Amino acid sequence: PEAIFRYLFDHPDFKHLRHVWAIKDPQAIRRFKAEFRDHPRVRFVPRDGSSYWRALSTSRVLFNNATFPPAFGKRESQLYVNTWHGTPLKRMGFDIPDGAVESANTLRNFLMADYLLAANDTMREQMYEGAYRLCNIYRGRIIEEGYPRIDRQMLTEPQRTRLREELREAGITVGELPLVLYAPTWRGTSFTDPEADAEELLRRTAALQAGLGSDFRVLLRPHQAVQAVLEASPTLARDLVPSTIPTNVLLGAAAGLVTDYSSVLFDFLATGRPIGFLTPDADEYTRSRGTYAPIDELPGPISADAHTVGGELRALLHTKTAHPRYAEWAARFAPFEDGRATERIVDIVLRGRVEE
């Protein structure tokens, strides 16, 4: 949604639009207020307050990368675009135990939406049509034109410079070293009760740094569900990227990525830069949640040991060689990522253009 918002905000043919953001994270609210405080076309509402429900009920166009609450029902005059939040590696919807119960509101939102965004064939077929059983019942349109948030990874040199300035302003020392982002997914039974082991993440981040050596700087970007918990840990302050910096901007600036089962791996494939996979709980995760691809077939070095992953990623970075499976994965999961996905989606959704 942020990528789409910034496109609409910057283009003259959409200067008539007024934008209402519903944001929960206090740091994100402060950042957006600092940027748009005096702008007459942008305002903010606190999630779940009366102003939120009024905006949700009266806005002509709705964008969401997750779900609206069960109490909301879209009016016929409203246009709803659900972008979702990435191509999933982990199993989703009816493909997980108790998926029918857990997916009720997600499925309701998908069926309400006029448009669903898919970054690739797999996301459309495996997630929307398969895991959420939308095949032959969804009456809207699935747009398969790439992912707006990945457009945000196409950074200019001034944008790269500004990112490093933001990190320094947040008290994170990066110097001029190439950045490697460590972005694990969340653990736990729900977003409201995530596992957030600060000491374990600190140990893994330190071990990755040791494996990569002094030529690189490792930064930690946890899942948003655990970010607030970890921000209270002073031991992580030197490595933890503030939540106000968008993940895809970080990915655009990173020379390499370390993750586990997070959808950011698919976003990062668009950069052509190497990925390492730190999966100490692979057997347990496969049993309890499950993944759509076997862990040992991921497109990069895989290990339960952080130091090992760091060392193998360092070798790829220094030699500028690609992992044997990387090109196949990039062709399959990032085929449309040319930096113009947002424009194509806006053309379809709001300009009413159709393919020739």
Side-chain angles (χ1 to χ4, degrees), residues 1 47 52 56 59-69 72-84 105-117 138 140-141 143 349-350:
R47 179 70 184 262
Y52 166 79
L56 184 56
S59 293
R60 172 70 181 86
V61 184
L62 307 170
F63 289 94
N64 197 335
N65 71 347
T67 58
F68 290 118
F72 173 70
K74 181 178 79 78
R75 292 182 293 111
E76 288 186 8
S77 60
Q78 290 180 300
L79 181 70
Y80 178 11
V81 182
N82 192 296
T83 70
W84 203 238
N105 190 49
T106 302
L107 182 56
R108 193 183 67 89
N109 269 258
F110 287 166
L111 290 171
M112 273 198 297
D114 299 280
Y115 296 97
L116 302 173
L117 302 193
Y138 177 58
R141 176 177 175 183
I143 304 175
V349 172
L350 295 178

mmCIF file of all heavy atoms in Angstrom, residues 1 47 52 56 59-69 72-84 105-117 138 140-141 143 349-350:
data_model
loop_
_atom_site.group_PDB
_atom_site.id
_atom_site.type_symbol
_atom_site.label_atom_id
_atom_site.label_comp_id
_atom_site.label_asym_id
_atom_site.label_seq_id
_atom_site.Cartn_x
_atom_site.Cartn_y
_atom_site.Cartn_z
ATOM 1 N N PRO A 1 0.796 -1.222 0.000
ATOM 2 C CA PRO A 1 0.000 0.000 0.000
ATOM 3 C C PRO A 1 0.836 1.284 0.000
ATOM 4 O O PRO A 1 0.452 2.268 -0.615
ATOM 5 C CB PRO A 1 -0.834 -0.133 1.284
ATOM 6 C CG PRO A 1 -1.021 -1.600 1.438
ATOM 7 C CD PRO A 1 0.294 -2.198 1.008
ATOM 8 N N ARG A 47 -5.977 3.099 14.447
ATOM 9 C CA ARG A 47 -6.682 1.859 14.151
ATOM 10 C C ARG A 47 -7.745 1.574 15.217
ATOM 11 O O ARG A 47 -7.485 1.687 16.408
ATOM 12 C CB ARG A 47 -5.664 0.700 14.085
ATOM 13 C CG ARG A 47 -6.254 -0.666 13.801
ATOM 14 C CD ARG A 47 -6.758 -0.779 12.383
ATOM 15 N NE ARG A 47 -7.402 -2.052 12.171
ATOM 16 C CZ ARG A 47 -6.816 -3.112 11.614
ATOM 17 N NH1 ARG A 47 -5.573 -3.029 11.206
ATOM 18 N NH2 ARG A 47 -7.466 -4.236 11.455
ATOM 19 N N TYR A 52 -11.407 5.878 12.524
ATOM 20 C CA TYR A 52 -11.016 4.776 11.635
ATOM 21 C C TYR A 52 -12.250 4.168 10.963
ATOM 22 O O TYR A 52 -12.294 3.975 9.740
ATOM 23 C CB TYR A 52 -10.268 3.705 12.433
ATOM 24 C CG TYR A 52 -10.109 2.378 11.711
ATOM 25 C CD1 TYR A 52 -9.147 2.208 10.736
ATOM 26 C CD2 TYR A 52 -10.944 1.302 12.020
ATOM 27 C CE1 TYR A 52 -9.000 0.986 10.078
ATOM 28 C CE2 TYR A 52 -10.814 0.085 11.384
ATOM 29 C CZ TYR A 52 -9.833 -0.069 10.405
ATOM 30 O OH TYR A 52 -9.702 -1.269 9.755
ATOM 31 N N LEU A 56 -13.106 4.117 7.046
ATOM 32 C CA LEU A 56 -13.243 2.819 6.387
ATOM 33 C C LEU A 56 -14.607 2.687 5.715
ATOM 34 O O LEU A 56 -14.722 2.118 4.623
ATOM 35 C CB LEU A 56 -13.046 1.707 7.417
ATOM 36 C CG LEU A 56 -13.061 0.263 6.926
ATOM 37 C CD1 LEU A 56 -12.035 0.040 5.837
ATOM 38 C CD2 LEU A 56 -12.814 -0.695 8.094
ATOM 39 N N SER A 59 -14.694 5.799 2.601
ATOM 40 C CA SER A 59 -13.691 5.953 1.542
ATOM 41 C C SER A 59 -14.146 5.253 0.274
ATOM 42 O O SER A 59 -14.740 4.169 0.322
ATOM 43 C CB SER A 59 -12.345 5.380 2.000
ATOM 44 O OG SER A 59 -11.810 6.137 3.057
ATOM 45 N N ARG A 60 -13.838 5.867 -0.853
ATOM 46 C CA ARG A 60 -14.249 5.301 -2.143
ATOM 47 C C ARG A 60 -13.389 4.110 -2.524
ATOM 48 O O ARG A 60 -13.877 3.130 -3.086
ATOM 49 C CB ARG A 60 -14.150 6.390 -3.225
ATOM 50 C CG ARG A 60 -14.354 5.889 -4.642
ATOM 51 C CD ARG A 60 -15.791 5.470 -4.904
ATOM 52 N NE ARG A 60 -15.956 4.959 -6.261
ATOM 53 C CZ ARG A 60 -15.748 3.701 -6.627
ATOM 54 N NH1 ARG A 60 -15.396 2.798 -5.722
ATOM 55 N NH2 ARG A 60 -15.925 3.320 -7.865
ATOM 56 N N VAL A 61 -12.073 4.189 -2.241
ATOM 57 C CA VAL A 61 -11.137 3.127 -2.612
ATOM 58 C C VAL A 61 -10.405 2.659 -1.361
ATOM 59 O O VAL A 61 -9.975 3.472 -0.535
ATOM 60 C CB VAL A 61 -10.111 3.615 -3.663
ATOM 61 C CG1 VAL A 61 -9.213 2.466 -4.104
ATOM 62 C CG2 VAL A 61 -10.823 4.226 -4.866
ATOM 63 N N LEU A 62 -10.265 1.357 -1.199
ATOM 64 C CA LEU A 62 -9.618 0.766 -0.040
ATOM 65 C C LEU A 62 -8.434 -0.093 -0.481
ATOM 66 O O LEU A 62 -8.561 -0.900 -1.400
ATOM 67 C CB LEU A 62 -10.608 -0.119 0.729
ATOM 68 C CG LEU A 62 -11.939 0.514 1.141
ATOM 69 C CD1 LEU A 62 -12.880 -0.559 1.673
ATOM 70 C CD2 LEU A 62 -11.711 1.603 2.179
ATOM 71 N N PHE A 63 -7.290 0.099 0.175
ATOM 72 C CA PHE A 63 -6.118 -0.748 -0.048
ATOM 73 C C PHE A 63 -5.737 -1.391 1.284
ATOM 74 O O PHE A 63 -5.683 -0.724 2.316
ATOM 75 C CB PHE A 63 -4.923 0.071 -0.562
ATOM 76 C CG PHE A 63 -5.081 0.565 -1.970
ATOM 77 C CD1 PHE A 63 -5.584 1.828 -2.220
ATOM 78 C CD2 PHE A 63 -4.713 -0.229 -3.046
ATOM 79 C CE1 PHE A 63 -5.726 2.298 -3.515
ATOM 80 C CE2 PHE A 63 -4.854 0.231 -4.348
ATOM 81 C CZ PHE A 63 -5.362 1.498 -4.586
ATOM 82 N N ASN A 64 -5.452 -2.673 1.247
ATOM 83 C CA ASN A 64 -5.055 -3.381 2.466
ATOM 84 C C ASN A 64 -4.067 -4.475 2.092
ATOM 85 O O ASN A 64 -4.240 -5.149 1.072
ATOM 86 C CB ASN A 64 -6.286 -4.005 3.141
ATOM 87 C CG ASN A 64 -6.040 -4.384 4.585
ATOM 88 O OD1 ASN A 64 -4.916 -4.624 5.005
ATOM 89 N ND2 ASN A 64 -7.112 -4.447 5.363
ATOM 90 N N ASN A 65 -3.023 -4.656 2.921
ATOM 91 C CA ASN A 65 -2.088 -5.752 2.657
ATOM 92 C C ASN A 65 -2.291 -6.916 3.624
ATOM 93 O O ASN A 65 -1.467 -7.819 3.714
ATOM 94 C CB ASN A 65 -0.638 -5.260 2.709
ATOM 95 C CG ASN A 65 -0.173 -4.924 4.106
ATOM 96 O OD1 ASN A 65 -0.978 -4.829 5.034
ATOM 97 N ND2 ASN A 65 1.114 -4.723 4.274
ATOM 98 N N ALA A 66 -3.409 -6.884 4.351
ATOM 99 C CA ALA A 66 -3.752 -7.993 5.239
ATOM 100 C C ALA A 66 -5.269 -8.161 5.206
ATOM 101 O O ALA A 66 -5.812 -8.528 4.176
ATOM 102 C CB ALA A 66 -3.231 -7.718 6.650
ATOM 103 N N THR A 67 -5.951 -7.874 6.321
ATOM 104 C CA THR A 67 -7.409 -8.007 6.339
ATOM 105 C C THR A 67 -8.041 -6.869 7.118
ATOM 106 O O THR A 67 -7.462 -6.367 8.083
ATOM 107 C CB THR A 67 -7.848 -9.332 6.993
ATOM 108 O OG1 THR A 67 -7.329 -9.387 8.337
ATOM 109 C CG2 THR A 67 -7.346 -10.524 6.197
ATOM 110 N N PHE A 68 -9.241 -6.473 6.711
ATOM 111 C CA PHE A 68 -10.069 -5.594 7.519
ATOM 112 C C PHE A 68 -10.774 -6.435 8.585
ATOM 113 O O PHE A 68 -10.966 -7.644 8.411
ATOM 114 C CB PHE A 68 -11.079 -4.863 6.651
ATOM 115 C CG PHE A 68 -10.468 -3.835 5.742
ATOM 116 C CD1 PHE A 68 -10.568 -3.949 4.367
ATOM 117 C CD2 PHE A 68 -9.773 -2.754 6.269
ATOM 118 C CE1 PHE A 68 -10.002 -3.005 3.520
ATOM 119 C CE2 PHE A 68 -9.201 -1.802 5.437
ATOM 120 C CZ PHE A 68 -9.316 -1.930 4.060
ATOM 121 N N PRO A 69 -11.188 -5.810 9.687
ATOM 122 C CA PRO A 69 -11.801 -6.565 10.792
ATOM 123 C C PRO A 69 -13.094 -7.264 10.376
ATOM 124 O O PRO A 69 -13.766 -6.855 9.423
ATOM 125 C CB PRO A 69 -12.086 -5.479 11.843
ATOM 126 C CG PRO A 69 -11.206 -4.327 11.491
ATOM 127 C CD PRO A 69 -11.056 -4.371 9.991
ATOM 128 N N PHE A 72 -16.327 -5.349 9.449
ATOM 129 C CA PHE A 72 -16.452 -4.512 8.262
ATOM 130 C C PHE A 72 -17.010 -5.299 7.084
ATOM 131 O O PHE A 72 -16.586 -6.424 6.805
ATOM 132 C CB PHE A 72 -15.080 -3.945 7.865
ATOM 133 C CG PHE A 72 -15.107 -3.202 6.553
ATOM 134 C CD1 PHE A 72 -15.756 -1.986 6.429
ATOM 135 C CD2 PHE A 72 -14.505 -3.747 5.418
ATOM 136 C CE1 PHE A 72 -15.802 -1.308 5.217
ATOM 137 C CE2 PHE A 72 -14.537 -3.081 4.200
ATOM 138 C CZ PHE A 72 -15.190 -1.858 4.104
ATOM 139 N N GLY A 73 -17.940 -4.662 6.367
ATOM 140 C CA GLY A 73 -18.443 -5.207 5.115
ATOM 141 C C GLY A 73 -18.389 -4.132 4.041
ATOM 142 O O GLY A 73 -18.876 -3.020 4.255
ATOM 143 N N LYS A 74 -17.789 -4.434 2.919
ATOM 144 C CA LYS A 74 -17.631 -3.451 1.847
ATOM 145 C C LYS A 74 -18.983 -3.093 1.228
ATOM 146 O O LYS A 74 -19.794 -3.966 0.919
ATOM 147 C CB LYS A 74 -16.699 -4.007 0.769
ATOM 148 C CG LYS A 74 -16.441 -3.042 -0.394
ATOM 149 C CD LYS A 74 -15.467 -3.664 -1.396
ATOM 150 C CE LYS A 74 -16.169 -4.670 -2.303
ATOM 151 N NZ LYS A 74 -16.942 -4.008 -3.382
ATOM 152 N N ARG A 75 -19.181 -1.766 1.028
ATOM 153 C CA ARG A 75 -20.372 -1.316 0.327
ATOM 154 C C ARG A 75 -20.196 -1.508 -1.182
ATOM 155 O O ARG A 75 -19.078 -1.544 -1.688
ATOM 156 C CB ARG A 75 -20.631 0.160 0.635
ATOM 157 C CG ARG A 75 -21.048 0.426 2.074
ATOM 158 C CD ARG A 75 -21.341 1.887 2.339
ATOM 159 N NE ARG A 75 -20.148 2.715 2.250
ATOM 160 C CZ ARG A 75 -19.917 3.601 1.299
ATOM 161 N NH1 ARG A 75 -20.778 3.785 0.312
ATOM 162 N NH2 ARG A 75 -18.812 4.330 1.310
ATOM 163 N N GLU A 76 -21.294 -1.589 -1.918
ATOM 164 C CA GLU A 76 -21.210 -1.831 -3.358
ATOM 165 C C GLU A 76 -20.475 -0.715 -4.090
ATOM 166 O O GLU A 76 -19.840 -0.949 -5.111
ATOM 167 C CB GLU A 76 -22.621 -1.991 -3.941
ATOM 168 C CG GLU A 76 -23.291 -3.308 -3.561
ATOM 169 C CD GLU A 76 -24.612 -3.488 -4.284
ATOM 170 O OE1 GLU A 76 -24.918 -2.657 -5.176
ATOM 171 O OE2 GLU A 76 -25.334 -4.452 -3.977
ATOM 172 N N SER A 77 -20.541 0.499 -3.571
ATOM 173 C CA SER A 77 -19.905 1.631 -4.248
ATOM 174 C C SER A 77 -18.405 1.726 -3.971
ATOM 175 O O SER A 77 -17.708 2.553 -4.565
ATOM 176 C CB SER A 77 -20.569 2.937 -3.812
ATOM 177 O OG SER A 77 -20.453 3.115 -2.409
ATOM 178 N N GLN A 78 -17.885 0.884 -3.064
ATOM 179 C CA GLN A 78 -16.472 0.940 -2.726
ATOM 180 C C GLN A 78 -15.663 -0.007 -3.597
ATOM 181 O O GLN A 78 -16.141 -1.075 -4.009
ATOM 182 C CB GLN A 78 -16.255 0.579 -1.251
ATOM 183 C CG GLN A 78 -16.771 1.636 -0.288
ATOM 184 C CD GLN A 78 -16.538 1.255 1.162
ATOM 185 O OE1 GLN A 78 -17.023 0.226 1.628
ATOM 186 N NE2 GLN A 78 -15.799 2.099 1.885
ATOM 187 N N LEU A 79 -14.417 0.378 -3.867
ATOM 188 C CA LEU A 79 -13.466 -0.437 -4.609
ATOM 189 C C LEU A 79 -12.412 -0.915 -3.628
ATOM 190 O O LEU A 79 -11.762 -0.112 -2.948
ATOM 191 C CB LEU A 79 -12.814 0.397 -5.717
ATOM 192 C CG LEU A 79 -11.803 -0.325 -6.619
ATOM 193 C CD1 LEU A 79 -12.521 -1.328 -7.508
ATOM 194 C CD2 LEU A 79 -11.044 0.688 -7.462
ATOM 195 N N TYR A 80 -12.211 -2.202 -3.547
ATOM 196 C CA TYR A 80 -11.304 -2.803 -2.557
ATOM 197 C C TYR A 80 -10.196 -3.556 -3.281
ATOM 198 O O TYR A 80 -10.464 -4.471 -4.057
ATOM 199 C CB TYR A 80 -12.099 -3.729 -1.643
ATOM 200 C CG TYR A 80 -11.319 -4.485 -0.587
ATOM 201 C CD1 TYR A 80 -9.989 -4.208 -0.279
ATOM 202 C CD2 TYR A 80 -11.933 -5.506 0.141
ATOM 203 C CE1 TYR A 80 -9.304 -4.907 0.697
ATOM 204 C CE2 TYR A 80 -11.275 -6.219 1.121
ATOM 205 C CZ TYR A 80 -9.951 -5.926 1.394
ATOM 206 O OH TYR A 80 -9.276 -6.633 2.361
ATOM 207 N N VAL A 81 -8.944 -3.161 -3.008
ATOM 208 C CA VAL A 81 -7.760 -3.824 -3.564
ATOM 209 C C VAL A 81 -6.991 -4.456 -2.408
ATOM 210 O O VAL A 81 -6.516 -3.749 -1.515
ATOM 211 C CB VAL A 81 -6.839 -2.835 -4.309
ATOM 212 C CG1 VAL A 81 -5.650 -3.577 -4.917
ATOM 213 C CG2 VAL A 81 -7.613 -2.072 -5.373
ATOM 214 N N ASN A 82 -6.881 -5.768 -2.411
ATOM 215 C CA ASN A 82 -6.083 -6.448 -1.399
ATOM 216 C C ASN A 82 -4.747 -6.849 -2.024
ATOM 217 O O ASN A 82 -4.700 -7.643 -2.963
ATOM 218 C CB ASN A 82 -6.805 -7.676 -0.841
ATOM 219 C CG ASN A 82 -6.121 -8.217 0.402
ATOM 220 O OD1 ASN A 82 -4.987 -8.675 0.356
ATOM 221 N ND2 ASN A 82 -6.819 -8.152 1.527
ATOM 222 N N THR A 83 -3.670 -6.270 -1.511
ATOM 223 C CA THR A 83 -2.345 -6.512 -2.089
ATOM 224 C C THR A 83 -1.667 -7.730 -1.481
ATOM 225 O O THR A 83 -0.691 -8.226 -2.019
ATOM 226 C CB THR A 83 -1.432 -5.298 -1.833
ATOM 227 O OG1 THR A 83 -1.111 -5.215 -0.448
ATOM 228 C CG2 THR A 83 -2.090 -4.004 -2.292
ATOM 229 N N TRP A 84 -2.142 -8.203 -0.344
ATOM 230 C CA TRP A 84 -1.508 -9.207 0.495
ATOM 231 C C TRP A 84 -0.080 -8.762 0.830
ATOM 232 O O TRP A 84 0.321 -7.630 0.564
ATOM 233 C CB TRP A 84 -1.585 -10.612 -0.099
ATOM 234 C CG TRP A 84 -1.440 -11.674 0.959
ATOM 235 C CD1 TRP A 84 -0.497 -12.665 1.009
ATOM 236 C CD2 TRP A 84 -2.250 -11.844 2.123
ATOM 237 N NE1 TRP A 84 -0.669 -13.435 2.140
ATOM 238 C CE2 TRP A 84 -1.745 -12.945 2.850
ATOM 239 C CE3 TRP A 84 -3.332 -11.154 2.643
ATOM 240 C CZ2 TRP A 84 -2.287 -13.383 4.053
ATOM 241 C CZ3 TRP A 84 -3.889 -11.579 3.841
ATOM 242 C CH2 TRP A 84 -3.357 -12.683 4.530
ATOM 243 N N ASN A 105 -11.684 -15.042 8.278
ATOM 244 C CA ASN A 105 -11.751 -13.612 7.954
ATOM 245 C C ASN A 105 -10.888 -13.273 6.746
ATOM 246 O O ASN A 105 -11.232 -12.379 5.963
ATOM 247 C CB ASN A 105 -11.319 -12.759 9.154
ATOM 248 C CG ASN A 105 -11.614 -11.289 8.925
ATOM 249 O OD1 ASN A 105 -12.709 -10.902 8.532
ATOM 250 N ND2 ASN A 105 -10.613 -10.440 9.149
ATOM 251 N N THR A 106 -9.767 -13.985 6.583
ATOM 252 C CA THR A 106 -8.937 -13.762 5.390
ATOM 253 C C THR A 106 -9.717 -14.110 4.135
ATOM 254 O O THR A 106 -9.750 -13.335 3.164
ATOM 255 C CB THR A 106 -7.653 -14.612 5.461
ATOM 256 O OG1 THR A 106 -6.931 -14.276 6.644
ATOM 257 C CG2 THR A 106 -6.772 -14.368 4.240
ATOM 258 N N LEU A 107 -10.366 -15.249 4.144
ATOM 259 C CA LEU A 107 -11.149 -15.670 2.990
ATOM 260 C C LEU A 107 -12.297 -14.689 2.725
ATOM 261 O O LEU A 107 -12.575 -14.327 1.577
ATOM 262 C CB LEU A 107 -11.691 -17.078 3.221
ATOM 263 C CG LEU A 107 -12.507 -17.701 2.094
ATOM 264 C CD1 LEU A 107 -11.716 -17.731 0.796
ATOM 265 C CD2 LEU A 107 -12.947 -19.105 2.475
ATOM 266 N N ARG A 108 -12.930 -14.212 3.784
ATOM 267 C CA ARG A 108 -14.011 -13.238 3.631
ATOM 268 C C ARG A 108 -13.497 -11.962 2.963
ATOM 269 O O ARG A 108 -14.146 -11.391 2.093
ATOM 270 C CB ARG A 108 -14.592 -12.922 5.015
ATOM 271 C CG ARG A 108 -15.904 -12.174 5.021
ATOM 272 C CD ARG A 108 -16.318 -11.862 6.443
ATOM 273 N NE ARG A 108 -15.391 -10.907 7.038
ATOM 274 C CZ ARG A 108 -15.528 -9.589 6.954
ATOM 275 N NH1 ARG A 108 -16.557 -9.069 6.300
ATOM 276 N NH2 ARG A 108 -14.653 -8.792 7.508
ATOM 277 N N ASN A 109 -12.303 -11.504 3.367
ATOM 278 C CA ASN A 109 -11.706 -10.315 2.764
ATOM 279 C C ASN A 109 -11.378 -10.536 1.295
ATOM 280 O O ASN A 109 -11.621 -9.675 0.459
ATOM 281 C CB ASN A 109 -10.455 -9.899 3.529
ATOM 282 C CG ASN A 109 -10.722 -8.921 4.647
ATOM 283 O OD1 ASN A 109 -10.487 -7.730 4.527
ATOM 284 N ND2 ASN A 109 -11.247 -9.439 5.761
ATOM 285 N N PHE A 110 -10.807 -11.684 0.991
ATOM 286 C CA PHE A 110 -10.488 -11.968 -0.416
ATOM 287 C C PHE A 110 -11.742 -11.954 -1.284
ATOM 288 O O PHE A 110 -11.744 -11.416 -2.395
ATOM 289 C CB PHE A 110 -9.784 -13.324 -0.538
ATOM 290 C CG PHE A 110 -8.363 -13.337 -0.048
ATOM 291 C CD1 PHE A 110 -7.713 -14.547 0.176
ATOM 292 C CD2 PHE A 110 -7.667 -12.166 0.181
ATOM 293 C CE1 PHE A 110 -6.393 -14.580 0.607
ATOM 294 C CE2 PHE A 110 -6.353 -12.178 0.623
ATOM 295 C CZ PHE A 110 -5.712 -13.395 0.842
ATOM 296 N N LEU A 111 -12.819 -12.555 -0.788
ATOM 297 C CA LEU A 111 -14.050 -12.612 -1.564
ATOM 298 C C LEU A 111 -14.701 -11.237 -1.707
ATOM 299 O O LEU A 111 -15.407 -10.974 -2.676
ATOM 300 C CB LEU A 111 -15.022 -13.601 -0.926
ATOM 301 C CG LEU A 111 -14.617 -15.073 -1.025
ATOM 302 C CD1 LEU A 111 -15.529 -15.944 -0.174
ATOM 303 C CD2 LEU A 111 -14.623 -15.548 -2.472
ATOM 304 N N MET A 112 -14.447 -10.329 -0.739
ATOM 305 C CA MET A 112 -14.953 -8.963 -0.836
ATOM 306 C C MET A 112 -14.165 -8.139 -1.845
ATOM 307 O O MET A 112 -14.679 -7.192 -2.428
ATOM 308 C CB MET A 112 -14.852 -8.251 0.526
ATOM 309 C CG MET A 112 -16.008 -8.441 1.456
ATOM 310 S SD MET A 112 -15.982 -7.158 2.760
ATOM 311 C CE MET A 112 -14.450 -7.516 3.599
ATOM 312 N N ALA A 113 -12.882 -8.458 -2.002
ATOM 313 C CA ALA A 113 -11.985 -7.608 -2.784
ATOM 314 C C ALA A 113 -12.340 -7.632 -4.272
ATOM 315 O O ALA A 113 -12.660 -8.686 -4.833
ATOM 316 C CB ALA A 113 -10.543 -8.057 -2.592
ATOM 317 N N ASP A 114 -12.250 -6.463 -4.895
ATOM 318 C CA ASP A 114 -12.448 -6.374 -6.340
ATOM 319 C C ASP A 114 -11.193 -6.818 -7.088
ATOM 320 O O ASP A 114 -11.278 -7.329 -8.208
ATOM 321 C CB ASP A 114 -12.787 -4.930 -6.722
ATOM 322 C CG ASP A 114 -14.072 -4.461 -6.058
ATOM 323 O OD1 ASP A 114 -15.142 -4.798 -6.563
ATOM 324 O OD2 ASP A 114 -13.980 -3.770 -5.022
ATOM 325 N N TYR A 115 -10.027 -6.592 -6.457
ATOM 326 C CA TYR A 115 -8.754 -6.980 -7.060
ATOM 327 C C TYR A 115 -7.862 -7.617 -5.999
ATOM 328 O O TYR A 115 -7.811 -7.146 -4.854
ATOM 329 C CB TYR A 115 -8.011 -5.767 -7.633
ATOM 330 C CG TYR A 115 -8.708 -5.081 -8.777
ATOM 331 C CD1 TYR A 115 -9.495 -3.954 -8.555
ATOM 332 C CD2 TYR A 115 -8.577 -5.547 -10.089
ATOM 333 C CE1 TYR A 115 -10.131 -3.300 -9.596
ATOM 334 C CE2 TYR A 115 -9.218 -4.910 -11.142
ATOM 335 C CZ TYR A 115 -9.996 -3.792 -10.889
ATOM 336 O OH TYR A 115 -10.628 -3.155 -11.931
ATOM 337 N N LEU A 116 -7.162 -8.666 -6.391
ATOM 338 C CA LEU A 116 -6.104 -9.263 -5.586
ATOM 339 C C LEU A 116 -4.805 -9.165 -6.383
ATOM 340 O O LEU A 116 -4.810 -9.369 -7.603
ATOM 341 C CB LEU A 116 -6.400 -10.740 -5.285
ATOM 342 C CG LEU A 116 -7.718 -11.054 -4.558
ATOM 343 C CD1 LEU A 116 -7.926 -12.559 -4.490
ATOM 344 C CD2 LEU A 116 -7.717 -10.446 -3.165
ATOM 345 N N LEU A 117 -3.699 -8.865 -5.706
ATOM 346 C CA LEU A 117 -2.415 -8.757 -6.396
ATOM 347 C C LEU A 117 -1.609 -10.035 -6.218
ATOM 348 O O LEU A 117 -1.515 -10.591 -5.125
ATOM 349 C CB LEU A 117 -1.604 -7.577 -5.865
ATOM 350 C CG LEU A 117 -2.235 -6.188 -5.941
ATOM 351 C CD1 LEU A 117 -1.180 -5.121 -5.664
ATOM 352 C CD2 LEU A 117 -2.911 -5.948 -7.280
ATOM 353 N N TYR A 138 -14.143 -16.968 -6.887
ATOM 354 C CA TYR A 138 -13.789 -15.554 -6.765
ATOM 355 C C TYR A 138 -14.309 -14.786 -7.978
ATOM 356 O O TYR A 138 -14.048 -15.162 -9.121
ATOM 357 C CB TYR A 138 -12.270 -15.398 -6.638
ATOM 358 C CG TYR A 138 -11.809 -13.961 -6.582
ATOM 359 C CD1 TYR A 138 -12.284 -13.111 -5.585
ATOM 360 C CD2 TYR A 138 -10.917 -13.457 -7.529
ATOM 361 C CE1 TYR A 138 -11.867 -11.790 -5.524
ATOM 362 C CE2 TYR A 138 -10.496 -12.140 -7.474
ATOM 363 C CZ TYR A 138 -10.976 -11.313 -6.466
ATOM 364 O OH TYR A 138 -10.563 -10.000 -6.415
ATOM 365 N N GLY A 140 -13.849 -11.396 -8.526
ATOM 366 C CA GLY A 140 -13.037 -10.239 -8.885
ATOM 367 C C GLY A 140 -11.934 -10.623 -9.854
ATOM 368 O O GLY A 140 -12.031 -11.608 -10.577
ATOM 369 N N ARG A 141 -10.853 -9.846 -9.831
ATOM 370 C CA ARG A 141 -9.749 -10.086 -10.758
ATOM 371 C C ARG A 141 -8.442 -10.214 -9.985
ATOM 372 O O ARG A 141 -8.146 -9.403 -9.108
ATOM 373 C CB ARG A 141 -9.636 -8.946 -11.761
ATOM 374 C CG ARG A 141 -8.440 -9.087 -12.696
ATOM 375 C CD ARG A 141 -8.392 -7.993 -13.729
ATOM 376 N NE ARG A 141 -7.179 -8.104 -14.532
ATOM 377 C CZ ARG A 141 -6.824 -7.249 -15.489
ATOM 378 N NH1 ARG A 141 -7.608 -6.228 -15.786
ATOM 379 N NH2 ARG A 141 -5.693 -7.415 -16.149
ATOM 380 N N ILE A 143 -4.652 -9.687 -10.325
ATOM 381 C CA ILE A 143 -3.713 -8.975 -11.198
ATOM 382 C C ILE A 143 -2.322 -9.551 -10.995
ATOM 383 O O ILE A 143 -1.763 -9.494 -9.897
ATOM 384 C CB ILE A 143 -3.694 -7.466 -10.889
ATOM 385 C CG1 ILE A 143 -5.098 -6.875 -11.001
ATOM 386 C CG2 ILE A 143 -2.733 -6.751 -11.827
ATOM 387 C CD1 ILE A 143 -5.157 -5.411 -10.592
ATOM 388 N N VAL A 349 -6.398 -0.611 -12.128
ATOM 389 C CA VAL A 349 -7.360 -0.400 -11.034
ATOM 390 C C VAL A 349 -8.013 0.982 -11.105
ATOM 391 O O VAL A 349 -9.241 1.104 -10.918
ATOM 392 C CB VAL A 349 -6.655 -0.597 -9.670
ATOM 393 C CG1 VAL A 349 -7.580 -0.193 -8.530
ATOM 394 C CG2 VAL A 349 -6.209 -2.045 -9.513
ATOM 395 N N LEU A 350 -7.232 2.028 -11.364
ATOM 396 C CA LEU A 350 -7.748 3.387 -11.255
ATOM 397 C C LEU A 350 -7.801 4.140 -12.571
ATOM 398 O O LEU A 350 -8.573 5.093 -12.701
ATOM 399 C CB LEU A 350 -6.919 4.186 -10.233
ATOM 400 C CG LEU A 350 -7.001 3.681 -8.793
ATOM 401 C CD1 LEU A 350 -6.123 4.508 -7.887
ATOM 402 C CD2 LEU A 350 -8.451 3.713 -8.287
#
